[in-house]
C-alpha cells in the first residue's frame, strides 16, 4: 500500500480510504531523539505523525491500539483507540511536523513549522519507532534529513530483554531457587548487584525505563 523512494526518505500511499501505519527501520530506547516530517501531499487532515512499538497494528490509524501514539492533522492526539485530547495546530500539505521523542524522560512532543506544540504524551517506554499513518490515495511525506538528531539510534540497553544471555537466565534461575528455599543468595549475584549499585551511585551507569520497569 506504500511506495518508498528517494533513498527511503519519501513514502507515498497507493491505496485509498483505509488506514495504513508505516514504521521507520530504527527504534529508540534511550536519549532525546528529534526528526522532522514534511507533508508533501495530502488532500485531507486524515494523516497521523508519531511513534509506535514494533507490535503496532499497521492496519488501523496511529494510536488505534496500545502500541501507537499519534498526532492527526485535524488537531488531536490518539492512543489506545481513544482521542486523548485536542492538541497543537491543524496541519496538512506543505507543513513540516517536528517529532521530539525523549526516551530518558518518557515524553513525546511535536512542533509545526518550527512552533512548539508542547508535550503530547508522557510515560513512554520500551523501543519506539518513527511512524506515519496514511488514509487517502496519493498522500506523501518526506523525512527531512537536515537537522536530525537521534543519539539513541542503534544504542543497546544492557539488561534489556533483547540483550539477555543464556548465562544471565541461568543466574536468574539460581536467584529464584534461593528465594524459594529461603537460602542465601548466590555470591556472584550479590557481588554483581553491589558493583551495579556502586556504579550507579558514582554516575557511571544510568537507568532506563522499559515496559517492565527500570533496567
Amino acid at each position: 500500500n506504500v511506495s518508498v523512494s528517494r533513498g527511503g526518505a519519501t513514502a507515498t500511499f497507493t491505496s485509498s480510504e483505509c488506514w495504513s501505519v508505516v514504521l521507520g527501520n530504527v527504534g529508540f530506547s534511550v536519549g532525546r531523539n528529534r526528526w522532522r516530517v514534511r507533508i508533501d501531499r495530502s488532500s485531507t487532515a486524515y494523516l497521523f505523525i508519531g511513534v509506535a512499538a514494533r507490535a503496532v497494528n499497521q492496519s488501523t490509524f496511529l494510536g488505534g491500539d496500545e502500541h501507537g501514539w499519534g498526532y492527526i492533522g485535524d488537531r488531536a492526539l490518539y492512543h489506545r483507540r481513544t482521542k486523548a485530547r485536542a492538541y497543537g495546530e491543524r496541519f496538512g500539505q506543505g507543513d513540516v511536523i517536528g517529532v521530539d521523542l525523549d526516551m530518558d524522560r518518557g515524553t513525546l512532543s511535536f512542533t509545526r513549522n518550527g512552533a512548539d506544540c508542547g508535550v503530547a504524551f508522557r510515560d513512554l517506554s520500551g523501543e519506539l519507532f518513527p511512524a506515519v499513518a496514511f488514509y487517502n490515495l496519493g498522500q506523501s511525506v518526506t523525512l527531512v534529513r537536515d537537522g536530525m538528531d537521534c543519539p539513541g539510534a542503534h544504542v543497546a540497553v544492557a539488561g534489556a530483554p533483547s540483550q539477555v544471555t543464556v548465562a544471565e537466565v541461568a543466574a536468574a534461575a539460581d536467584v529464584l531457587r534461593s528465594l524459594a528455599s529461603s537460602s542465601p543468595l548466590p555470591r556472584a549475584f550479590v557481588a554483581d548487584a553491589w558493583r551495579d549499585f556502586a556504579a550507579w551511585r558514582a554516575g557511571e551507569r544510568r537507568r532506563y525505563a522499559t515496559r517492565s520497569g527500570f533496567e
Side-chain angles (χ1 to χ4, degrees), residues 85-151:
R85 60 187 171 94
Y87 172 84
E89 300 293 336
R90 298 181 185 276
F91 67 83
Q93 185 168 311
D95 290 326
V96 176
I97 303 301
V99 185
D100 186 335
L101 177 64
D102 190 335
M103 294 304 294
D104 293 339
R105 294 181 178 272
T107 60
L108 176 63
S109 306
F110 297 93
T111 63
R112 175 182 174 272
N113 300 329
D116 186 9
C117 298
V119 175
F121 297 102
R122 300 182 185 275
D123 301 321
L124 277 68
S125 60
E127 184 181 31
L128 300 178
F129 295 78
V132 175
F134 297 110
Y135 186 76
N136 295 113
L137 177 66
Q139 286 177 322
S140 183
V141 301
T142 296
L143 179 65
V144 181
R145 302 286 191 183
D146 294 341
M148 286 183 63
D149 183 18
C150 298

Short mmCIF file of all heavy atoms in Angstrom, two decimals, residues 85-151:
data_model
loop_
_atom_site.label_atom_id
_atom_site.label_comp_id
_atom_site.label_asym_id
_atom_site.label_seq_id
_atom_site.Cartn_x
_atom_site.Cartn_y
_atom_site.Cartn_z
N ARG A 85 -6.96 14.07 23.56
CA ARG A 85 -7.35 15.47 23.73
C ARG A 85 -7.04 16.24 22.46
O ARG A 85 -6.33 15.75 21.57
CB ARG A 85 -6.60 16.11 24.90
CG ARG A 85 -5.08 16.10 24.77
CD ARG A 85 -4.43 16.58 26.04
NE ARG A 85 -2.99 16.40 26.04
CZ ARG A 85 -2.11 17.32 25.67
NH1 ARG A 85 -2.55 18.51 25.23
NH2 ARG A 85 -0.80 17.08 25.72
N ALA A 86 -7.59 17.46 22.38
CA ALA A 86 -7.20 18.38 21.31
C ALA A 86 -5.77 18.83 21.58
O ALA A 86 -5.34 18.93 22.74
CB ALA A 86 -8.13 19.57 21.26
N TYR A 87 -5.02 19.10 20.51
CA TYR A 87 -3.59 19.39 20.70
C TYR A 87 -3.05 20.15 19.51
O TYR A 87 -3.40 19.87 18.34
CB TYR A 87 -2.82 18.08 20.86
CG TYR A 87 -1.31 18.20 20.87
CD1 TYR A 87 -0.62 18.51 22.04
CD2 TYR A 87 -0.58 18.02 19.70
CE1 TYR A 87 0.75 18.62 22.06
CE2 TYR A 87 0.80 18.13 19.69
CZ TYR A 87 1.47 18.43 20.88
OH TYR A 87 2.84 18.54 20.88
N GLY A 88 -2.17 21.10 19.79
CA GLY A 88 -1.42 21.78 18.75
C GLY A 88 -2.27 22.53 17.75
O GLY A 88 -3.32 23.08 18.08
N GLU A 89 -1.81 22.51 16.50
CA GLU A 89 -2.48 23.19 15.39
C GLU A 89 -2.80 22.18 14.30
O GLU A 89 -2.18 21.12 14.21
CB GLU A 89 -1.59 24.29 14.82
CG GLU A 89 -1.19 25.37 15.83
CD GLU A 89 -2.37 26.21 16.27
OE1 GLU A 89 -3.36 26.28 15.50
OE2 GLU A 89 -2.32 26.79 17.37
N ARG A 90 -3.78 22.51 13.48
CA ARG A 90 -4.07 21.67 12.31
C ARG A 90 -2.86 21.68 11.38
O ARG A 90 -2.16 22.69 11.26
CB ARG A 90 -5.30 22.18 11.58
CG ARG A 90 -6.57 22.14 12.42
CD ARG A 90 -7.77 22.65 11.62
NE ARG A 90 -8.95 22.73 12.47
CZ ARG A 90 -9.76 21.71 12.72
NH1 ARG A 90 -9.50 20.53 12.17
NH2 ARG A 90 -10.80 21.86 13.51
N PHE A 91 -2.62 20.55 10.72
CA PHE A 91 -1.53 20.52 9.74
C PHE A 91 -1.96 19.78 8.49
O PHE A 91 -2.92 19.00 8.50
CB PHE A 91 -0.26 19.90 10.34
CG PHE A 91 -0.35 18.43 10.68
CD1 PHE A 91 -0.16 17.46 9.71
CD2 PHE A 91 -0.60 18.02 11.99
CE1 PHE A 91 -0.21 16.10 10.02
CE2 PHE A 91 -0.65 16.67 12.31
CZ PHE A 91 -0.46 15.71 11.33
N GLY A 92 -1.25 20.07 7.41
CA GLY A 92 -1.58 19.45 6.14
C GLY A 92 -0.48 19.69 5.13
O GLY A 92 0.69 19.93 5.50
N GLN A 93 -0.84 19.63 3.86
CA GLN A 93 0.14 19.74 2.78
C GLN A 93 0.99 20.99 2.92
O GLN A 93 0.49 22.08 3.14
CB GLN A 93 -0.60 19.75 1.43
CG GLN A 93 0.32 19.74 0.23
CD GLN A 93 -0.43 19.46 -1.06
OE1 GLN A 93 -1.21 18.52 -1.12
NE2 GLN A 93 -0.21 20.27 -2.08
N GLY A 94 2.31 20.80 2.81
CA GLY A 94 3.25 21.91 2.90
C GLY A 94 3.81 22.14 4.28
O GLY A 94 4.82 22.83 4.44
N ASP A 95 3.17 21.59 5.31
CA ASP A 95 3.67 21.77 6.68
C ASP A 95 4.80 20.79 6.99
O ASP A 95 4.91 19.73 6.38
CB ASP A 95 2.53 21.57 7.68
CG ASP A 95 1.50 22.68 7.65
OD1 ASP A 95 1.90 23.84 7.41
OD2 ASP A 95 0.31 22.40 7.86
N VAL A 96 5.60 21.18 7.96
CA VAL A 96 6.68 20.32 8.46
C VAL A 96 6.42 20.07 9.94
O VAL A 96 6.34 21.01 10.74
CB VAL A 96 8.06 20.95 8.27
CG1 VAL A 96 9.15 20.07 8.90
CG2 VAL A 96 8.35 21.17 6.79
N ILE A 97 6.27 18.80 10.30
CA ILE A 97 6.00 18.41 11.68
C ILE A 97 7.28 17.86 12.30
O ILE A 97 7.86 16.90 11.79
CB ILE A 97 4.88 17.35 11.76
CG1 ILE A 97 3.61 17.88 11.11
CG2 ILE A 97 4.63 16.96 13.21
CD1 ILE A 97 3.07 19.15 11.72
N GLY A 98 7.70 18.49 13.39
CA GLY A 98 8.86 18.01 14.12
C GLY A 98 8.44 17.05 15.21
O GLY A 98 7.42 17.26 15.88
N VAL A 99 9.20 16.00 15.40
CA VAL A 99 8.93 15.00 16.43
C VAL A 99 10.10 14.99 17.41
O VAL A 99 11.26 14.91 17.01
CB VAL A 99 8.74 13.59 15.82
CG1 VAL A 99 8.34 12.59 16.90
CG2 VAL A 99 7.72 13.62 14.70
N ASP A 100 9.78 15.09 18.70
CA ASP A 100 10.79 15.10 19.75
C ASP A 100 10.46 13.96 20.72
O ASP A 100 9.56 14.07 21.55
CB ASP A 100 10.76 16.45 20.47
CG ASP A 100 11.89 16.61 21.50
OD1 ASP A 100 12.37 15.58 22.01
OD2 ASP A 100 12.26 17.76 21.80
N LEU A 101 11.18 12.87 20.58
CA LEU A 101 10.96 11.68 21.41
C LEU A 101 12.08 11.58 22.43
O LEU A 101 13.21 11.23 22.10
CB LEU A 101 10.93 10.43 20.53
CG LEU A 101 10.78 9.09 21.25
CD1 LEU A 101 9.44 9.00 21.98
CD2 LEU A 101 10.94 7.92 20.27
N ASP A 102 11.76 11.90 23.68
CA ASP A 102 12.76 11.87 24.75
C ASP A 102 12.55 10.60 25.57
O ASP A 102 11.69 10.55 26.46
CB ASP A 102 12.60 13.11 25.63
CG ASP A 102 13.76 13.28 26.61
OD1 ASP A 102 14.40 12.25 26.94
OD2 ASP A 102 14.02 14.41 27.05
N MET A 103 13.32 9.58 25.28
CA MET A 103 13.16 8.29 25.95
C MET A 103 13.77 8.28 27.35
O MET A 103 13.50 7.37 28.14
CB MET A 103 13.74 7.17 25.11
CG MET A 103 13.00 6.94 23.80
SD MET A 103 11.23 6.61 24.03
CE MET A 103 11.27 5.04 24.88
N ASP A 104 14.59 9.28 27.67
CA ASP A 104 15.10 9.39 29.04
C ASP A 104 14.02 9.92 29.97
O ASP A 104 13.93 9.51 31.13
CB ASP A 104 16.33 10.29 29.08
CG ASP A 104 17.52 9.70 28.34
OD1 ASP A 104 17.53 8.46 28.14
OD2 ASP A 104 18.42 10.46 27.95
N ARG A 105 13.18 10.81 29.47
CA ARG A 105 12.08 11.37 30.26
C ARG A 105 10.75 10.68 29.98
O ARG A 105 9.78 10.87 30.71
CB ARG A 105 11.94 12.88 29.99
CG ARG A 105 13.12 13.71 30.45
CD ARG A 105 12.90 15.18 30.16
NE ARG A 105 14.00 15.99 30.63
CZ ARG A 105 14.09 16.49 31.86
NH1 ARG A 105 13.14 16.22 32.74
NH2 ARG A 105 15.13 17.22 32.22
N GLY A 106 10.69 9.91 28.88
CA GLY A 106 9.46 9.23 28.53
C GLY A 106 8.40 10.14 27.96
O GLY A 106 7.21 9.93 28.16
N THR A 107 8.82 11.16 27.20
CA THR A 107 7.87 12.12 26.64
C THR A 107 7.94 12.17 25.12
O THR A 107 8.98 11.89 24.52
CB THR A 107 8.11 13.54 27.18
OG1 THR A 107 9.45 13.96 26.83
CG2 THR A 107 7.96 13.58 28.69
N LEU A 108 6.81 12.56 24.52
CA LEU A 108 6.73 12.77 23.07
C LEU A 108 6.12 14.14 22.84
O LEU A 108 5.04 14.45 23.36
CB LEU A 108 5.86 11.69 22.42
CG LEU A 108 5.60 11.83 20.92
CD1 LEU A 108 6.90 11.72 20.12
CD2 LEU A 108 4.60 10.78 20.44
N SER A 109 6.82 14.98 22.06
CA SER A 109 6.37 16.33 21.76
C SER A 109 6.44 16.56 20.26
O SER A 109 7.13 15.83 19.53
CB SER A 109 7.24 17.37 22.48
OG SER A 109 7.30 17.12 23.86
N PHE A 110 5.72 17.59 19.79
CA PHE A 110 5.71 17.92 18.37
C PHE A 110 5.90 19.42 18.17
O PHE A 110 5.61 20.22 19.05
CB PHE A 110 4.38 17.51 17.73
CG PHE A 110 4.09 16.04 17.76
CD1 PHE A 110 3.36 15.48 18.80
CD2 PHE A 110 4.57 15.21 16.75
CE1 PHE A 110 3.08 14.12 18.83
CE2 PHE A 110 4.30 13.84 16.78
CZ PHE A 110 3.56 13.30 17.82
N THR A 111 6.37 19.75 16.96
CA THR A 111 6.37 21.14 16.51
C THR A 111 5.66 21.18 15.16
O THR A 111 5.59 20.17 14.45
CB THR A 111 7.79 21.70 16.34
OG1 THR A 111 8.49 20.95 15.32
CG2 THR A 111 8.57 21.63 17.64
N ARG A 112 5.11 22.34 14.82
CA ARG A 112 4.51 22.55 13.50
C ARG A 112 5.19 23.76 12.88
O ARG A 112 5.08 24.87 13.39
CB ARG A 112 3.01 22.79 13.59
CG ARG A 112 2.35 23.13 12.26
CD ARG A 112 0.86 23.40 12.44
NE ARG A 112 0.24 23.85 11.21
CZ ARG A 112 0.18 25.13 10.82
NH1 ARG A 112 0.71 26.08 11.59
NH2 ARG A 112 -0.41 25.45 9.70
N ASN A 113 5.93 23.53 11.80
CA ASN A 113 6.68 24.59 11.13
C ASN A 113 7.55 25.36 12.11
O ASN A 113 7.66 26.59 12.05
CB ASN A 113 5.72 25.54 10.40
CG ASN A 113 4.90 24.83 9.34
OD1 ASN A 113 5.36 23.86 8.74
ND2 ASN A 113 3.68 25.29 9.13
N GLY A 114 8.16 24.62 13.03
CA GLY A 114 9.09 25.21 13.98
C GLY A 114 8.47 25.70 15.27
O GLY A 114 9.19 25.99 16.23
N ALA A 115 7.15 25.81 15.34
CA ALA A 115 6.48 26.29 16.54
C ALA A 115 6.20 25.12 17.49
O ALA A 115 5.61 24.12 17.08
CB ALA A 115 5.17 26.99 16.19
N ASP A 116 6.63 25.27 18.73
CA ASP A 116 6.48 24.20 19.72
C ASP A 116 5.02 24.00 20.09
O ASP A 116 4.33 24.95 20.49
CB ASP A 116 7.30 24.56 20.96
CG ASP A 116 7.33 23.45 22.00
OD1 ASP A 116 6.86 22.33 21.70
OD2 ASP A 116 7.83 23.70 23.11
N CYS A 117 4.54 22.77 20.00
CA CYS A 117 3.16 22.44 20.38
C CYS A 117 3.06 21.92 21.81
O CYS A 117 1.95 21.68 22.30
CB CYS A 117 2.57 21.40 19.42
SG CYS A 117 2.47 21.94 17.70
N GLY A 118 4.19 21.71 22.48
CA GLY A 118 4.18 21.22 23.85
C GLY A 118 4.23 19.69 23.92
O GLY A 118 4.23 18.99 22.90
N VAL A 119 4.27 19.18 25.15
CA VAL A 119 4.32 17.72 25.37
C VAL A 119 2.97 17.11 25.01
O VAL A 119 1.93 17.55 25.49
CB VAL A 119 4.69 17.40 26.82
CG1 VAL A 119 4.60 15.89 27.07
CG2 VAL A 119 6.09 17.90 27.15
N ALA A 120 3.01 16.09 24.18
CA ALA A 120 1.78 15.41 23.74
C ALA A 120 1.48 14.19 24.61
O ALA A 120 0.34 13.98 25.02
CB ALA A 120 1.91 14.99 22.28
N PHE A 121 2.50 13.39 24.87
CA PHE A 121 2.34 12.15 25.64
C PHE A 121 3.46 12.02 26.65
O PHE A 121 4.58 12.47 26.41
CB PHE A 121 2.35 10.92 24.72
CG PHE A 121 1.23 10.88 23.73
CD1 PHE A 121 1.44 11.24 22.39
CD2 PHE A 121 -0.04 10.45 24.10
CE1 PHE A 121 0.41 11.18 21.47
CE2 PHE A 121 -1.07 10.40 23.18
CZ PHE A 121 -0.85 10.76 21.87
N ARG A 122 3.14 11.35 27.77
CA ARG A 122 4.13 11.08 28.81
C ARG A 122 4.15 9.58 29.11
O ARG A 122 3.29 8.83 28.66
CB ARG A 122 3.81 11.86 30.08
CG ARG A 122 3.81 13.38 29.89
CD ARG A 122 3.53 14.10 31.19
NE ARG A 122 3.40 15.54 31.00
CZ ARG A 122 4.42 16.39 30.97
NH1 ARG A 122 5.66 15.93 31.17
NH2 ARG A 122 4.23 17.69 30.78
N ASP A 123 5.14 9.18 29.89
CA ASP A 123 5.26 7.80 30.38
C ASP A 123 5.48 6.79 29.26
O ASP A 123 5.02 5.65 29.35
CB ASP A 123 4.03 7.41 31.20
CG ASP A 123 3.82 8.32 32.40
OD1 ASP A 123 4.83 8.69 33.03
OD2 ASP A 123 2.66 8.67 32.70
N LEU A 124 6.18 7.19 28.21
CA LEU A 124 6.53 6.26 27.14
C LEU A 124 7.77 5.46 27.55
O LEU A 124 8.65 5.97 28.24
CB LEU A 124 6.80 7.00 25.84
CG LEU A 124 5.58 7.37 25.00
CD1 LEU A 124 4.73 8.42 25.68
CD2 LEU A 124 6.02 7.88 23.62
N SER A 125 7.84 4.22 27.12
CA SER A 125 8.99 3.37 27.43
C SER A 125 9.09 2.25 26.41
O SER A 125 8.24 2.12 25.53
CB SER A 125 8.86 2.79 28.84
OG SER A 125 7.68 2.02 28.96
N GLY A 126 10.12 1.45 26.53
CA GLY A 126 10.34 0.37 25.57
C GLY A 126 11.11 0.85 24.36
O GLY A 126 11.84 1.84 24.42
N GLU A 127 10.98 0.16 23.25
CA GLU A 127 11.61 0.56 22.00
C GLU A 127 10.53 1.09 21.06
O GLU A 127 9.61 0.37 20.71
CB GLU A 127 12.33 -0.61 21.34
CG GLU A 127 13.09 -0.20 20.07
CD GLU A 127 13.79 -1.37 19.39
OE1 GLU A 127 13.28 -2.50 19.48
OE2 GLU A 127 14.85 -1.15 18.77
N LEU A 128 10.66 2.36 20.66
CA LEU A 128 9.66 3.01 19.82
C LEU A 128 10.27 3.47 18.50
O LEU A 128 11.43 3.89 18.45
CB LEU A 128 9.03 4.20 20.55
CG LEU A 128 8.33 3.86 21.87
CD1 LEU A 128 7.79 5.11 22.53
CD2 LEU A 128 7.22 2.84 21.64
N PHE A 129 9.46 3.40 17.44
CA PHE A 129 9.91 3.72 16.09
C PHE A 129 9.15 4.93 15.54
O PHE A 129 7.97 5.10 15.85
CB PHE A 129 9.65 2.52 15.16
CG PHE A 129 10.44 1.29 15.49
CD1 PHE A 129 10.07 0.47 16.54
CD2 PHE A 129 11.57 0.95 14.75
CE1 PHE A 129 10.79 -0.67 16.87
CE2 PHE A 129 12.30 -0.18 15.06
CZ PHE A 129 11.91 -0.99 16.12
N PRO A 130 9.81 5.73 14.70
CA PRO A 130 9.07 6.78 13.99
C PRO A 130 7.93 6.15 13.19
O PRO A 130 8.09 5.05 12.64
CB PRO A 130 10.12 7.39 13.06
CG PRO A 130 11.43 7.08 13.71
CD PRO A 130 11.24 5.73 14.35
N ALA A 131 6.78 6.82 13.12
CA ALA A 131 5.63 6.23 12.44
C ALA A 131 4.77 7.31 11.78
O ALA A 131 4.69 8.44 12.25
CB ALA A 131 4.78 5.44 13.43
N VAL A 132 4.13 6.88 10.69
CA VAL A 132 3.17 7.71 9.96
C VAL A 132 1.99 6.82 9.62
O VAL A 132 2.16 5.63 9.34
CB VAL A 132 3.78 8.28 8.66
CG1 VAL A 132 2.74 9.04 7.85
CG2 VAL A 132 4.96 9.18 8.97
N ALA A 133 0.77 7.38 9.64
CA ALA A 133 -0.41 6.62 9.21
C ALA A 133 -1.11 7.37 8.08
O ALA A 133 -1.47 8.54 8.23
CB ALA A 133 -1.37 6.39 10.36
N PHE A 134 -1.29 6.68 6.95
CA PHE A 134 -1.95 7.24 5.77
C PHE A 134 -3.40 6.76 5.69
O PHE A 134 -3.76 5.71 6.23
CB PHE A 134 -1.24 6.78 4.49
CG PHE A 134 0.18 7.24 4.35
CD1 PHE A 134 1.23 6.34 4.46
CD2 PHE A 134 0.46 8.57 4.09
CE1 PHE A 134 2.54 6.76 4.30
CE2 PHE A 134 1.77 9.00 3.94
CZ PHE A 134 2.82 8.09 4.05
N TYR A 135 -4.22 7.54 4.95
CA TYR A 135 -5.61 7.14 4.71
C TYR A 135 -6.05 7.38 3.27
O TYR A 135 -6.75 6.55 2.69
CB TYR A 135 -6.54 7.90 5.65
CG TYR A 135 -7.98 7.44 5.57
CD1 TYR A 135 -8.38 6.26 6.17
CD2 TYR A 135 -8.94 8.18 4.87
CE1 TYR A 135 -9.70 5.82 6.09
CE2 TYR A 135 -10.25 7.76 4.78
CZ TYR A 135 -10.63 6.58 5.39
OH TYR A 135 -11.93 6.14 5.30
N ASN A 136 -5.63 8.50 2.67
CA ASN A 136 -6.11 8.86 1.34
C ASN A 136 -5.08 8.60 0.25
O ASN A 136 -3.88 8.76 0.46
CB ASN A 136 -6.50 10.34 1.29
CG ASN A 136 -7.67 10.67 2.19
OD1 ASN A 136 -7.53 11.38 3.18
ND2 ASN A 136 -8.84 10.13 1.87
N LEU A 137 -5.57 8.20 -0.92
CA LEU A 137 -4.71 7.94 -2.08
C LEU A 137 -3.84 9.15 -2.40
O LEU A 137 -4.30 10.28 -2.44
CB LEU A 137 -5.58 7.61 -3.29
CG LEU A 137 -4.85 7.36 -4.62
CD1 LEU A 137 -4.01 6.10 -4.52
CD2 LEU A 137 -5.86 7.24 -5.77
N GLY A 138 -2.54 8.88 -2.59
CA GLY A 138 -1.62 9.93 -3.02
C GLY A 138 -0.97 10.70 -1.90
O GLY A 138 -0.08 11.53 -2.16
N GLN A 139 -1.38 10.47 -0.67
CA GLN A 139 -0.70 11.15 0.44
C GLN A 139 0.78 10.79 0.43
O GLN A 139 1.16 9.64 0.20
CB GLN A 139 -1.32 10.75 1.78
CG GLN A 139 -2.68 11.37 2.04
CD GLN A 139 -3.29 10.91 3.35
OE1 GLN A 139 -3.17 9.74 3.72
NE2 GLN A 139 -3.95 11.82 4.06
N SER A 140 1.61 11.80 0.68
CA SER A 140 3.06 11.58 0.58
C SER A 140 3.77 12.42 1.63
O SER A 140 3.43 13.59 1.85
CB SER A 140 3.56 11.96 -0.81
OG SER A 140 4.95 11.70 -0.95
N VAL A 141 4.76 11.83 2.29
CA VAL A 141 5.56 12.54 3.29
C VAL A 141 7.03 12.24 3.05
O VAL A 141 7.38 11.21 2.47
CB VAL A 141 5.18 12.13 4.73
CG1 VAL A 141 3.71 12.41 5.01
CG2 VAL A 141 5.51 10.67 5.00
N THR A 142 7.87 13.17 3.51
CA THR A 142 9.32 13.01 3.37
C THR A 142 10.01 13.27 4.69
O THR A 142 9.69 14.27 5.37
CB THR A 142 9.88 13.97 2.31
OG1 THR A 142 9.34 13.63 1.02
CG2 THR A 142 11.40 13.89 2.24
N LEU A 143 10.92 12.39 5.07
CA LEU A 143 11.75 12.60 6.24
C LEU A 143 12.81 13.64 5.89
O LEU A 143 13.59 13.44 4.96
CB LEU A 143 12.41 11.29 6.65
CG LEU A 143 13.35 11.34 7.86
CD1 LEU A 143 12.59 11.69 9.12
CD2 LEU A 143 14.07 10.00 8.02
N VAL A 144 12.82 14.74 6.62
CA VAL A 144 13.78 15.83 6.35
C VAL A 144 15.11 15.46 6.99
O VAL A 144 15.21 15.34 8.21
CB VAL A 144 13.26 17.17 6.92
CG1 VAL A 144 14.25 18.29 6.63
CG2 VAL A 144 11.89 17.49 6.33
N ARG A 145 16.11 15.26 6.17
CA ARG A 145 17.41 14.80 6.68
C ARG A 145 18.12 15.87 7.49
O ARG A 145 18.76 15.57 8.50
CB ARG A 145 18.30 14.37 5.51
CG ARG A 145 17.72 13.27 4.63
CD ARG A 145 17.76 11.93 5.31
NE ARG A 145 17.46 10.83 4.40
CZ ARG A 145 17.37 9.57 4.77
NH1 ARG A 145 17.56 9.23 6.03
NH2 ARG A 145 17.08 8.62 3.88
N ASP A 146 18.02 17.12 7.05
CA ASP A 146 18.72 18.20 7.74
C ASP A 146 18.15 18.38 9.15
O ASP A 146 16.94 18.44 9.34
CB ASP A 146 18.59 19.51 6.98
CG ASP A 146 19.30 19.48 5.63
OD1 ASP A 146 20.16 18.60 5.46
OD2 ASP A 146 18.99 20.32 4.77
N GLY A 147 19.04 18.49 10.11
CA GLY A 147 18.61 18.77 11.47
C GLY A 147 18.21 17.56 12.28
O GLY A 147 17.79 17.71 13.44
N MET A 148 18.31 16.36 11.72
CA MET A 148 18.00 15.16 12.50
C MET A 148 19.02 15.02 13.63
O MET A 148 20.21 15.23 13.44
CB MET A 148 18.05 13.91 11.62
CG MET A 148 16.88 13.76 10.68
SD MET A 148 16.98 12.21 9.72
CE MET A 148 16.88 11.00 11.05
N ASP A 149 18.53 14.66 14.80
CA ASP A 149 19.41 14.48 15.95
C ASP A 149 18.89 13.29 16.74
O ASP A 149 17.95 13.42 17.53
CB ASP A 149 19.40 15.74 16.81
CG ASP A 149 20.35 15.64 18.00
OD1 ASP A 149 21.25 14.76 17.97
OD2 ASP A 149 20.20 16.43 18.94
N CYS A 150 19.46 12.13 16.51
CA CYS A 150 18.95 10.89 17.09
C CYS A 150 20.08 10.11 17.77
O CYS A 150 20.54 9.07 17.26
CB CYS A 150 18.29 10.03 16.01
SG CYS A 150 16.86 10.81 15.23
N PRO A 151 20.52 10.57 18.94
CA PRO A 151 21.62 9.88 19.63
C PRO A 151 21.25 8.49 20.14
O PRO A 151 22.14 7.70 20.46
CB PRO A 151 21.94 10.82 20.81
CG PRO A 151 20.66 11.56 21.05
CD PRO A 151 20.05 11.75 19.69
#
